[in-house]
Amino acid sequence: MAIPLAAKEIKIAYNSDWPPYSYTDKRDGVVKGILVDLLDSLFIEQIGIKTANFGFPWKRVQSEAKAGLMDAFITVPTQQRLEYALRSRNIVYTIKMQAITRQNKELISQINRVQTVYGLNAFNVCEIIGNGWGYRFWQQHNVKFLPVPKVSNCLLLIDRARADLMIHPLAVGSAEIARLELNKKLIILPKVYGEMKFTLLLSKRSAQYGQALVDQFDQTIDKLQSEKAYQPLLDTIMAKATAAALQN
């Protein structure tokens, strides 16, 4: 049965522990982050559908959507996920993997001269324990790395010259550098070593929504892009995330 899109509510699930992209704020229990702000803007302000945002561990996010308990989530549209979800045609958000190092001209020049990822073995590489993308990336290119618990640990090691670089999502690196007040000591290099392209995924078992919503969502992004308004929206949300990191 067709249900009018306007004045409805869509239940969206997010990773509860992936700042600044999505996280549950321990102070007030509210789900926040870049992806949350972006989908809120698209659904509430552009389409006119209220959002109910929920934060879960990542495996539960997927299982809730698969069961139809959550209407939607946002991530890479793998073949496995497409078995139980419809995807948006448009890329909603691209996570770029870039190198973070010290603001040292010689070190930066040496990194920039490396022609293959394997060549990064010449440096002390730092990685976060349990970061699936990072582990696969370094192992694929046979690069040794130092595993540490948190992004902040890597950044502090780089600052103290106990590590030379890490490759991590741009937004995470920017927010943590700002929070640690290392803007004058560390730098994010422009080269992109990898990307994760996120789309909206809508559960095929959603009780209210189907392809019509996905189509309207895509048309909304098409309109914003044609008006050259989509990137400014992303920039505004990114600036908000950086400001929030400074307050924490």
Side-chain angles (χ1 to χ4, degrees), residues 41-198:
S41 177
L42 293 172
F43 278 113
I44 299 173
E45 298 175 18
Q46 300 294 326
I47 300 177
I49 299 178
K50 297 178 181 179
T51 58
N53 300 318
F54 298 83
F56 304 117
W58 181 236
K59 287 186 178 179
R60 184 177 171 187
V61 168
Q62 297 170 88
S63 64
E64 293 274 320
K66 186 175 184 179
L69 299 174
M70 291 287 118
D71 295 307
F73 63 120
I74 177 173
T75 189
V76 177
T78 63
Q79 188 59 47
Q80 183 179 12
R81 292 166 185 154
L82 292 178
E83 291 177 0
Y84 61 84
L86 304 170
R87 60 157 290 179
S88 62
R89 166 176 45 81
N90 279 307
I91 303 299
V92 182
Y93 191 85
T94 299
I95 293 180
K96 296 182 179 181
M97 303 296 186
Q98 295 173 230
I100 304 171
T101 189
R102 288 185 296 285
Q103 292 198 26
N104 178 294
K105 290 183 179 180
E106 182 178 353
L107 177 59
I108 294 170
S109 178
Q110 290 172 349
I111 294 172
N112 287 337
R113 286 200 301 268
V114 172
Q115 296 183 355
T116 65
V117 176
Y118 178 77
L120 294 178
N121 270 307
F123 305 93
N124 293 320
V125 175
C126 188
E127 185 52 82
I128 312 306
I129 295 171
N131 178 17
W133 186 93
Y135 273 53
R136 289 190 299 271
F137 180 78
W138 297 122
Q139 291 168 358
Q140 176 186 354
H141 296 285
N142 295 314
V143 176
K144 298 178 181 179
F145 59 87
L146 171 67
V148 300
K150 298 180 180 179
V151 174
S152 58
N153 298 134
C154 264
L155 296 178
L156 291 171
L157 287 173
I158 294 169
D159 175 48
R160 296 164 186 169
R162 293 174 58 189
D164 296 319
L165 66 91
M166 68 182 298
I167 293 178
H168 214 66
L170 174 62
V172 176
S174 297
E176 276 297 284
I177 288 172
R179 187 182 69 83
L180 296 170
E181 299 182 348
L182 293 174
N183 299 78
K184 295 182 178 180
K185 296 183 176 182
L186 303 183
I187 185 171
I188 300 177
L189 302 181
K191 180 177 178 178
V192 176
Y193 288 86
E195 293 182 339
M196 290 192 291
K197 297 182 181 295
F198 280 22

Side-chain angles (χ1 to χ4, degrees), residues 1-20:
M1 180 177 64
I3 298 177
L5 297 182
K8 294 295 180 180
E9 181 178 82
I10 184 168
K11 293 184 290 185
I12 307 176
Y14 296 94
N15 189 332
S16 59
D17 188 23
W18 198 34

Side-chain angles (χ1 to χ4, degrees), residues 35 38-39 42-43 46-47 73-78 82 86-95 196-202 211-227 230-231 233-234:
L35 300 178
L38 178 56
L39 290 192
L42 293 172
F43 278 113
Q46 300 294 326
I47 300 177
F73 63 120
I74 177 173
T75 189
V76 177
T78 63
L82 292 178
L86 304 170
R87 60 157 290 179
S88 62
R89 166 176 45 81
N90 279 307
I91 303 299
V92 182
Y93 191 85
T94 299
I95 293 180
M196 290 192 291
K197 297 182 181 295
F198 280 22
T199 66
L200 178 74
L201 293 183
L202 182 74
Q211 188 63 48
L213 176 62
V214 177
D215 291 343
Q216 185 168 359
F217 184 84
D218 275 321
Q219 290 163 11
T220 298
I221 295 181
D222 288 341
K223 181 175 181 292
L224 289 171
Q225 289 177 337
S226 69
E227 296 172 347
Y230 197 67
Q231 188 58 50
L233 172 63
L234 296 177

